[in-house]
Amino acid sequence: MNAFLTVLYGVVTYAFFLVTFLYAIAFVGNVAVPKSIDSGAAVPLAEALIVNLLLLGLFAVQHSVMARPAFKRWWTRIVPEPIERSTFVLAATLALALLLWQWRPIADPVIWTVENRTAVLALNAVFWLGWAVLLTSTFLINHFELFGLRQVFARLTGRTVPAAEFRTPFLYRHVRHPIYLGFLLGFWATPHMTAGHLLFAVATTGYILIGIYFEERDLIAQFGDRYRRYREQVGMLLPWPGRSR
């Protein structure tokens, strides 16, 4: 693939991801989208559980397998290295889009409903805070490298993407995984928690905790004692008072 097509592929993939991700935020928050986590035609409970768990499982497996270094080493024998990250983003976005499209709502039972206006405003604020933390955290490390754009433009300009270095900017000095913290805030902060939303929140929380285990194993393999010390000094998802660095 020549350099121009590489950039085109990366930019189109990023645009597809961005639109899908913004829709996903509205989907989880039941905000101004035609189909959300709690809207859509009712189906039998067994069908909803099977379909939803398969969708969540597909996303988790794709995300986890393709993110592992061993898979990347094998994968880059087939896919050119400059578009490896964009291809990962494309596959993850397709899995997410399928979930958003095929998700079956489970309206009952309602786990909780908050009616107090102040409490509703507070929960909505936490919801949006979570997505703000997530987005900010991507830019703190390198948003455009995370989503493959830096790699494809480096191919166009003939530059080499520098090797990853261990850094702990801003939020990373207080929690090791602020991106995942942002997801959790966005998934759990709602004034109206249905059974379907709870299934989504519990499943994604479990996946995040499993993903952290594998991600930190890879980081220790890459950075060794530097990451071990960091893990001892900084909380995983919540700050440790007096121990942040």
Side-chain angles (χ1 to χ4, degrees):
M1 183 181 292
N2 67 38
F4 175 76
L5 290 178
T6 296
V7 170
L8 181 63
Y9 176 76
V11 169
V12 171
T13 295
Y14 179 77
F16 176 42
F17 154 75
L18 186 60
V19 170
T20 306
F21 178 70
L22 292 175
Y23 189 100
I25 295 174
F27 173 89
V28 174
N30 292 294
V31 179
V33 288
K35 186 177 188 304
S36 71
I37 199 166
D38 292 324
S39 68
V43 299
L45 178 60
E47 176 187 336
L49 288 172
I50 291 170
V51 171
N52 292 347
L53 289 172
L54 286 173
L55 292 168
L56 289 162
L58 175 64
F59 180 83
V61 169
Q62 175 278 320
H63 219 74
S64 296
V65 171
M66 292 189 71
R68 302 281 67 80
F71 181 89
K72 291 179 183 180
R73 288 191 294 270
W74 171 81
W75 187 231
T76 49
R77 298 175 187 173
I78 303 169
V79 174
E81 190 169 348
I83 63 168
E84 180 273 326
R85 188 65 187 179
S86 291
T87 303
F88 169 84
V89 171
L90 176 60
T93 305
L94 287 170
L96 176 59
L98 179 64
L99 186 152
L100 301 176
W101 175 37
Q102 289 298 320
W103 181 263
R104 274 42 170 184
I106 307 174
D108 295 312
V110 175
I111 311 304
W112 71 67
T113 297
V114 176
E115 297 181 351
N116 179 273
R117 179 173 174 78
T118 302
V120 169
L121 290 174
L123 285 168
N124 287 333
V126 172
F127 171 81
W128 291 110
L129 174 64
W131 300 111
V133 167
L134 187 158
L135 183 61
T136 300
S137 300
T138 66
F139 281 100
L140 289 174
I141 46 178
N142 193 317
H143 177 88
F144 298 109
E145 184 173 344
L146 187 63
F147 296 105
L149 288 178
R150 187 182 187 188
Q151 294 88 326
V152 297
F153 277 100
R155 167 77 170 84
L156 180 66
T157 59
R159 297 178 180 175
T160 302
V161 177
E165 60 179 22
F166 182 66
R167 299 183 300 112
T168 57
F170 188 32
L171 295 175
Y172 289 87
R173 296 183 180 182
H174 304 284
V175 291
R176 301 198 304 273
H177 300 281
I179 291 177
Y180 293 142
L181 172 60
F183 274 122
L184 293 175
L185 293 176
F187 293 159
W188 284 95
T190 176
H192 184 73
M193 178 65 82
T194 63
H197 194 148
L198 180 65
L199 173 67
F200 181 90
V202 169
T204 50
T205 299
Y207 165 69
I208 284 171
L209 295 175
I210 293 170
I212 286 173
Y213 168 79
F214 286 106
E215 184 176 323
E216 294 205 325
R217 188 181 66 175
D218 295 339
L219 289 167
I220 289 172
Q222 185 174 9
F223 297 112
D225 288 340
R226 292 189 65 192
Y227 194 83
R228 289 190 182 93
R229 289 192 297 270
Y230 176 62
R231 191 169 63 170
E232 292 171 357
Q233 295 168 348
V234 178
M236 181 172 69
L237 293 167
L238 296 174
W240 292 346
R243 297 188 68 181
S244 297
R245 52 176 292 183

